[in-house]
Amino acid sequence: MTADVLIIGAGPAGLACAATVLAGGLAVELVDAGHGPGGQYWRHPAPGSPPDSAPGGGTPPGPLRLPRGLRGRGGHPASDDLHHDLGTYRALVARLEEGVAVGRAVTRFGHDVWSLTRDGDGWVAASHDRGAGTERRSRGRVAVIATGAHDVALPFPGWDLPGVFTAGALQALLKGNGVVAGRRVLIAGTGPFLLPVATGLARYGAQVVGIHEAGDPRDWAAHAPAVAQNAGKVWEGLTYAAGLARHRVPVHPRSMVVAARGAGRVQSVTVAGVSETGEPVAGSERDIEVDALGVGWGFSPVIDLAVTVGCRTSMSWSGPVVEVDDDQRASVPRLFVAGETTGVGGATLALREGELAAHRILADLGRPPVSTEARLLRLRVDRSRHKAFAAAMADAHPIPAGWASTLVSETVVCRCEEVPYAAVRRAVVEEGAGDVRQVKQLTRAGMGWCQGRVCEPACRGLVRSLGARSVAEQPGQVRSKGGRGDAPTERLVALPIPLGALADGEVVERSAM
Amino acid sequence: MRGADDTTTFQFDGEPIAFRAGQSVGAALIAAGRLSWRTTRVGERPRGIFCGIGVCFDCLVVVDGRPNQRACLTPALAGMTISTQSGTGWTP
Amino acid sequence: MSRVVVVGAGIVGAACAYYAARAEWDVVVIERDQVASGTTSRGEGNLLVSDKGAGPELDLMRLSRRLWLELADELGRDELELDEKGGLVVASMPDSLAALTEFAEGQRSAGVVAQPVEDLRSLEPQLAPGLAGGVFYPEDLQVQPVLATQALLAAAIARGAELRCGTEVLGFTSGGGGDRPIGRPLRLRLGDGSTIDADAVVNAAGPWGSLLGDAFAAPVPVLPRRGFVLVTAPVGPRVRHKVYAADYVANVSSGDAGLQTSCVVEGTRGGTILIGASRERVGFDDTLDPLVVRRLAAQACALFPFLREVPLMRTYRGFRPYCPDHLPVIGPDRRVPGLVHAVGHEGAGIGLAPATGHLVTAMISGALRSRRDPRSPDVLDGVDARAFAPERFASAVTS
Ligand SMILES: Cc1cc2nc3c(=O)[nH]c(=O)nc-3n(C[C@H](O)[C@H](O)[C@H](O)COP(=O)(O)OP(=O)(O)OC[C@H]3O[C@@H](n4cnc5c(N)ncnc54)[C@H](O)[C@@H]3O)c2cc1C
Ligand SMILES: Cc1cc2nc3c(=O)[nH]c(=O)nc-3n(C[C@H](O)[C@H](O)[C@H](O)COP(=O)(O)OP(=O)(O)OC[C@H]3O[C@@H](n4cnc5c(N)ncnc54)[C@H](O)[C@@H]3O)c2cc1C
Ligand code: FES
């Protein structure tokens, strides 16, 4: 069956798009790797969780107890009070479920889309149904990529110790599983996202020993107009601030983690002040005992499917993003992109983009509009407000220029292939690698399971900072110039799929011919 | 039978781990105080959850004999047998 | 000192630069992108004698094999990741085994070591049961193409060669044409607006070699032949040799434009399994084709059933520089004295690179020393170079 609209990603952007095109009478197929709708923002425990299913009504054994307050009530157990805007979420999901009930929507959760390719005039997404272990193809006349973003992580000595998480992982464990991943937790990195992570953990019983924010929230003042236009965001921020105060969580601006230590798991972290130039201040180091550390440096858009089909991309502060026009259309026909994939800006922005894409799709496929011009105008205004706010936040929360000065030769930069900093440095400084692709080919950094999603921001940064030095110091090196600089990495396989599933897919294909 | 021990635990390296329906294997292990369930193939270093959302592949584990499953995405089911994965999870 | 400009810093350009620098020419390598950014980083690095029937390409490969082993001593085995792995060709059915056995006999008479194998699983324990038989080729080697290119260029630079990346060669402004004797340099036009004079120019532009030939008014019929390679998640050393099915040989030498797949399966140092490679002529179309991926996966699983459980982690594709007769174009171009081609190695350019660099250097050196129009020598180091001469496309060339 070919749906009218094939949507990849059921986060805020994908859901908003699905609900709107369904309202306009189109048929939808929605594919997502997660176990249900919601994406990262509205992450919930897997469906079917009974309201209270803890063993014997108690809590699991072990030192990290599941907080009682997390045992849920009603339909969405565990984490309702961690979410914002649940009304919107429920309304969108209800529209989707209605669509499923009347046979106009098909949802495929637990499906990892590994490729998106052209299929005549339309599109076909091939995915790995993880539950069944098979490959499935989903077709649509129009496709929407709404694959969101993931945390940006940067290496430092000890970052690969168990107990060191991305900030998003702590949030996912809490929202999606009701698990508080430590008793003494330190939160570090930069950006407003650190606040909900810290308050959520504190509310559910963790002692959050501090938020070490590399930036300085006072820098927000420099962006007064963008901030002032987003009263909602400011209010949200104030709520978190109040929460932090209630739980006595100290916030340390201009401070960063320079090392984590421990035997087999994190036991302490070293923090240091951040100078005006973004370097850790020598002599300001301080050790803090923890049993979990969450670090977040912002988010990096997931753009692989769009890159593979040839969409134009550009470099933004959040890494490479897919370029879209005012109607969320990508540079290739019949393809729309919405949400963080076009630039990181939060869930509300993702919702607006998803809905705007849907309006254009309805028009393109000859359906009458489902909302007024006034609403469309409001969506567009909202979109630009949120984009401006996101840009202001990014400006106020840069990654410190000197983040890499914490690295020592043995620090693993690529976690998958266990490539140490010394190897990356050698590739850039001595062998003249001019971009992440060359670093990968010379060192294997980025060749492992995650395909460089985790180490790429670091490698990109290292090519830039070490590369400047290398040209000056090594005039005779093999790769003196060149380098694709900011070109996005191509990942033709967006997520791994077992060869057996592909092999059986080939049989299906042959018998269909 | 929900609520009885055997329907709400899985085995991890021979020990029962209790979980709540809806949790992932990785989350249940963390709730039980286990932070790592894999050793890397070069440095034999311990790893567990890092990104929590299926991106980093640090949390690989052996599920019912199948290596390289992402613990952060694998829903915990009663009676599963989970074991520590060393290296690639394959024997030569 | 006479100057040799090598256009293209793929494996072939790197080998030409290395041997020319060793012969003490003033070498400048000009690459429009980066080192090994073309086909060289998209292939697998098999140095195969096993897939070549008796003939000039096999002779060239045998020379190249000797040179690769020499290079390993000189540049360091680890720098090239050279591995004397050996290749195992398997036949699933008795009739394909008969064809394979006959093919191997021809190779043996040309000096190749080809050993019939009855108990395939003693060599490759993970192979599927029930395959008819196979032939083992202990001389098949492997290198890591990017590292090897890097090492060759570094050695050339150590001998005084110069490398300019990010600069395209557009054509030439003066010299060239007619019966100009060698010795009056060609003036090359570069993308950055500058020029460079060269006594000899080597066309090592890989699949773009025909475009460069056109720019020099010296066309060579090189076409791109697309190939996909699959890379699995790491599984460790479960596949010991290069293992491929007997019908691979037929595919390699086919001129059909349609899709052909017959997989070559091998383990890598990183612990991943490489599965190559499809062949199809679709121009420079670089879109992903899931059908090709599925076919390669199915064939690999048929050879090694354990692969069913192993995830595909990535795939990459490249464009083999392909000539209609499946032989490379190596030698001076009579139409533009000073221009020497080193293109069209199709799916064997990594393997054939050292011999190509060696022949090209010998041809240039002979010409430059005697200050005469270079001509292809007939036989060099046991290789009949006439088989590779650009003149073989004479009908197309003179028109
Ligand atoms: C771990 C994490 C936690 C976060 N928590 C919060 C939070 O608590 N509060 C907050 O304000 N912001 C949070 N964010 C920020 C968040 O990115 C957004 O604000 C919001 O969720 C963006 O919506 P989206 O629709 O663009 O993408 P997402 O919500 O990220 O949705 C994208 C969806 O696409 C799916 N997907 C991606 N690739 C594939 C593929 N190849 N095949 C199949 N499916 C695929 C994913 O499974 C996901 O469900 C979090 C981000 C991360 C990474
Ligand atoms: C899927 C696949 C698998 C393969 N497997 C093997 C294998 O196992 N063994 C093997 O031996 N071979 C293999 N090959 C073939 C091998 O990769 C090629 O034959 C070889 O890389 C060709 O090298 P080259 O230097 O001629 O071309 P390239 O590596 O393409 O180099 C040409 C260079 O010239 C540059 N260039 C082009 N035009 C200009 C210009 N005008 N100015 C400046 N620079 C220019 C390009 O940017 C490029 O870097 C495979 C190929 C593919 C596609
Ligand atoms: S924790 Fe990153 S994939 Fe599971």
Side-chain angles (χ1 to χ4, degrees):
Chain A
M1 185 200 90
T2 299
D4 296 312
V5 190
L6 165 65
I7 302 175
I8 303 164
L15 279 179
C17 182
T20 312
V21 293
L22 280 168
L26 294 176
V28 168
E29 183 152 342
L30 179 60
V31 193
D32 194 294
H35 53 64
Q40 305 305 349
Y41 185 63
W42 286 313
R43 176 179 285 275
H44 289 86
S49 337
D52 188 348
S53 59
T59 53
L64 304 168
R65 287 187 177 264
L66 190 69
R68 281 193 171 269
L70 276 187
R71 270 179 284 120
R73 347 150 204 38
H76 295 290
S79 51
D80 281 11
D81 50 349
L82 290 165
H83 286 289
H84 286 266
D85 217 5
L86 266 184
T88 308
Y89 169 73
R90 295 207 173 112
L92 293 174
V93 172
R95 296 251 280 285
L96 184 64
E97 280 167 358
E98 242 171 70
V100 173
V102 301
R104 266 199 296 117
V106 174
T107 54
R108 308 241 180 251
F109 294 111
H111 283 58
D112 293 351
V113 174
W114 75 269
S115 72
L116 174 70
T117 47
R118 282 229 167 265
D119 178 44
D121 279 349
W123 296 95
V124 56
S127 59
H128 173 218
D129 176 347
R130 294 200 311 274
T134 54
E135 194 197 21
R136 180 189 294 280
R137 269 153 263 179
S138 306
R139 300 188 148 82
R141 295 161 68 197
V142 166
V144 181
I145 298 177
T147 45
H150 58 73
D151 282 84
V152 172
L154 294 173
F156 54 87
W159 76 309
D160 58 337
L161 281 172
V164 178
F165 303 96
T166 64
L170 290 176
Q171 186 79 336
L173 284 165
L174 187 61
K175 273 190 178 178
N177 297 275
V179 170
V180 176
R183 279 170 302 173
R184 275 178 65 83
V185 190
L186 189 138
I187 302 295
T190 194
F193 179 57
L194 303 181
L195 303 178
V197 175
T199 42
L201 289 169
R203 178 128 50 96
Y204 287 98
Q207 184 192 351
V208 179
V209 296
I211 299 180
H212 291 259
E213 159 62 66
D216 191 336
R218 282 163 296 187
D219 291 350
W220 288 23
H223 304 278
V227 173
Q229 278 176 25
N230 286 271
K233 293 270 188 188
V234 174
W235 178 247
E236 203 180 306
L238 291 175
T239 326
Y240 292 133
L244 294 175
R246 189 161 58 247
H247 297 288
R248 297 184 200 291
V249 176
V251 182
H252 304 275
R254 298 203 159 278
S255 176
M256 69 187 279
V257 169
V258 296
R261 276 176 253 282
R265 58 172 294 170
V266 63
Q267 289 165 318
S268 76
V269 303
T270 308
V271 295
V274 180
S275 73
E276 286 294 330
T277 55
E279 305 278 335
V281 177
S284 71
E285 296 86 357
R286 183 155 73 83
D287 290 345
I288 302 171
E289 258 180 54
V290 299
D291 58 12
L293 166 64
V295 190
W297 292 109
F299 298 102
S300 172
V302 176
I303 64 170
D304 308 311
L305 296 170
V307 171
T308 303
V309 299
C311 292
R312 199 162 44 238
T313 60
S314 57
M315 200 57 172
S316 80
W317 49 268
S318 56
V321 297
V322 184
E323 280 190 11
V324 288
D325 69 6
D326 206 42
D327 290 322
Q328 303 297 132
R329 270 183 298 211
S331 63
V332 309
R334 295 182 158 251
L335 184 67
F336 293 75
V337 184
E340 313 262 64
T341 314
T342 70
V344 169
T348 311
L349 177 59
L351 283 169
R352 302 296 178 265
E353 292 187 354
E355 192 173 337
L356 281 166
H359 281 290
R360 181 75 244 171
I361 292 169
L362 287 171
D364 284 359
L365 298 188
R367 293 278 158 172
V370 293
S371 29
T372 60
E373 282 299 319
R375 174 161 178 91
L376 284 183
L377 185 64
R378 218 171 42 243
L379 289 176
R380 287 183 208 284
V381 169
D382 239 29
R383 181 177 58 188
S384 26
R385 268 198 307 129
H386 280 92
K387 284 218 176 257
F389 184 75
M393 282 303 105
D395 225 37
H397 294 277
I399 290 175
W403 67 268
S405 58
T406 63
L407 301 177
V408 297
S409 296
E410 316 75 67
T411 310
V412 160
V413 171
C414 166
R415 301 166 71 96
C416 299
E417 295 297 299
E418 299 170 75
V419 180
Y421 173 58
V424 176
R425 189 178 49 203
R426 176 176 169 221
V428 178
V429 176
E430 283 164 39
E431 299 171 320
D435 60 22
V436 288
R437 197 185 134 179
Q438 288 178 308
V439 170
K440 173 163 78 185
Q441 281 171 342
L442 293 172
T443 68
R444 302 192 62 78
M447 275 202 187
W449 271 102
C450 88
Q451 291 300 292
R453 286 181 179 87
V454 175
C455 67
E456 191 171 295
C459 289
R460 233 178 244 288
L462 289 174
V463 167
R464 223 173 288 131
S465 58
L466 297 171
R469 243 200 279 158
S470 108
V471 174
E473 286 171 15
Q474 309 265 338
Q477 69 192 0
V478 175
R479 295 162 194 241
S480 41
K481 253 191 279 157
R484 277 167 216 196
D486 288 341
T489 299
E490 186 179 67
R491 296 187 182 95
L492 298 181
V493 177
L495 283 170
I497 171 168
L499 290 172
L502 288 167
D504 296 344
E506 129 93 342
V507 175
V508 170
E509 195 142 33
R510 242 184 310 152
S511 54
M513 287 193 314
Chain B
M1 285 307 291
R2 191 177 286 129
D5 258 14
D6 60 343
T7 59
T8 52
T9 62
F10 59 76
Q11 296 289 311
F12 172 67
D13 289 348
E15 273 181 48
I17 301 284
F19 65 91
R20 294 171 62 236
Q23 285 181 330
S24 69
V25 166
L29 286 169
I30 286 183
R34 312 277 179 149
L35 288 180
S36 61
W37 44 84
R38 170 172 95 92
T39 53
T40 61
R41 59 187 211 278
V42 181
E44 293 175 25
R45 297 172 58 87
R47 295 277 175 86
I49 278 185
F50 180 62
C51 77
I53 59 166
V55 169
C56 73
F57 292 82
D58 249 356
C59 63
L60 299 178
V61 73
V62 183
V63 178
D64 292 331
R66 293 169 63 219
N68 295 311
Q69 307 302 308
R70 282 169 286 176
C72 70
L73 295 189
T74 305
L77 298 176
M80 272 180 160
T81 304
I82 308 290
S83 27
T84 296
Q85 173 167 331
S86 57
T88 64
W90 293 90
T91 48
Chain C
M1 192 178 14
S2 301
R3 179 183 288 150
V4 176
V5 169
V6 178
V7 187
I11 189 85
V12 174
C16 291
Y18 170 78
Y19 287 103
R22 231 172 60 165
E24 304 200 329
W25 300 114
D26 169 19
V27 176
V28 180
V29 182
I30 301 185
E31 163 61 51
R32 65 175 174 203
D33 195 343
Q34 305 149 40
V35 170
S37 57
T39 323
T40 296
S41 57
R42 309 306 177 100
E44 293 160 283
N46 295 324
L47 316 180
L48 303 185
V49 293
S50 54
D51 66 342
K52 296 173 183 71
E57 199 193 7
L58 180 60
D59 298 338
L60 191 65
M61 186 57 219
R62 297 187 67 221
L63 169 62
S64 224
R65 184 179 179 278
R66 285 202 301 280
L67 295 174
W68 271 120
L69 292 172
E70 250 176 61
L71 287 168
D73 291 340
E74 198 182 316
L75 308 178
R77 210 157 260 255
D78 284 345
E79 297 297 305
L80 311 174
E81 288 195 0
L82 182 122
D83 193 348
E84 297 188 55
K85 234 184 186 175
L88 177 63
V89 184
V90 300
S92 48
M93 300 293 180
D95 53 340
S96 54
L97 181 59
L100 174 63
T101 308
E102 197 188 316
F103 184 70
E105 250 153 48
Q107 292 173 309
R108 261 193 300 274
S109 61
V112 172
V113 182
Q115 303 158 345
V117 185
E118 261 154 45
D119 183 6
L120 289 170
R121 295 218 272 178
S122 65
L123 271 185
E124 263 324 325
Q126 301 293 338
L127 266 176
L131 298 166
V135 176
F136 182 59
Y137 296 86
E139 294 167 315
D140 281 354
L141 310 176
Q142 170 179 311
V143 293
Q144 209 274 36
V146 175
L147 295 183
T149 306
Q150 178 89 11
L152 283 165
L153 280 172
I157 288 170
R159 290 169 190 268
E162 184 195 337
L163 171 69
R164 295 192 201 167
C165 287
T167 312
E168 185 163 7
V169 173
L170 300 177
F172 62 98
T173 55
S174 69
D179 298 320
R180 185 184 58 81
I182 194 156
R184 184 143 43 83
L186 286 169
R187 176 157 295 173
L188 305 186
R189 275 192 303 124
L190 306 184
D192 59 8
S194 67
T195 61
I196 182 172
D197 290 346
D199 297 284
V201 177
V202 180
N203 173 8
W208 302 276
S210 63
L211 299 178
L212 193 73
D214 292 348
F216 280 80
V220 276
V222 178
L223 295 169
R225 195 176 185 195
R226 185 171 75 178
F228 282 93
V229 177
L230 314 189
V231 188
T232 70
V235 298
R238 297 204 114 210
V239 176
R240 301 173 181 170
H241 309 92
K242 291 166 193 310
V243 181
Y244 59 90
D247 48 352
Y248 175 82
V249 176
N251 272 351
V252 168
S253 52
S254 159
D256 197 336
L259 170 66
Q260 287 149 349
T261 52
S262 54
C263 68
V264 182
V265 182
E266 62 175 306
T268 65
R269 283 202 183 186
T272 58
I273 304 281
L274 283 191
I275 302 163
S278 56
R279 295 167 184 269
E280 60 191 316
R281 277 177 25 220
V282 289
F284 282 107
D285 176 359
D286 68 358
T287 46
L288 171 71
D289 186 348
L291 172 75
V292 175
V293 173
R294 291 187 192 110
R295 278 217 195 147
L296 286 170
Q299 290 174 349
C301 291
L303 281 179
F304 290 100
F306 83 93
L307 287 175
R308 286 189 59 83
E309 295 292 320
V310 177
L312 167 69
M313 198 168 62
R314 64 191 139 92
T315 175
Y316 54 91
R317 38 105 177 81
F319 300 94
R320 301 179 189 82
Y322 155 87
C323 278
D325 60 1
H326 300 284
L327 292 177
V329 185
I330 305 168
D333 193 307
R334 296 235 177 113
R335 297 162 295 187
V336 182
L339 176 64
V340 183
H341 295 293
V343 283
H345 296 75
E346 201 175 342
I350 313 299
L352 299 174
T356 303
H358 176 76
L359 287 192
V360 161
T361 301
M363 291 167 182
I364 292 174
S365 298
L368 290 181
R369 292 223 171 82
S370 63
R371 291 281 154 200
R372 66 175 170 83
D373 185 359
R375 259 170 230 293
S376 313
D378 292 350
V379 178
L380 258 170
D381 291 299
V383 176
D384 183 352
R386 283 170 302 194
F388 310 116
E391 296 95 73
R392 70 182 195 274
F393 304 110
S395 54
V397 157
T398 45
S399 66

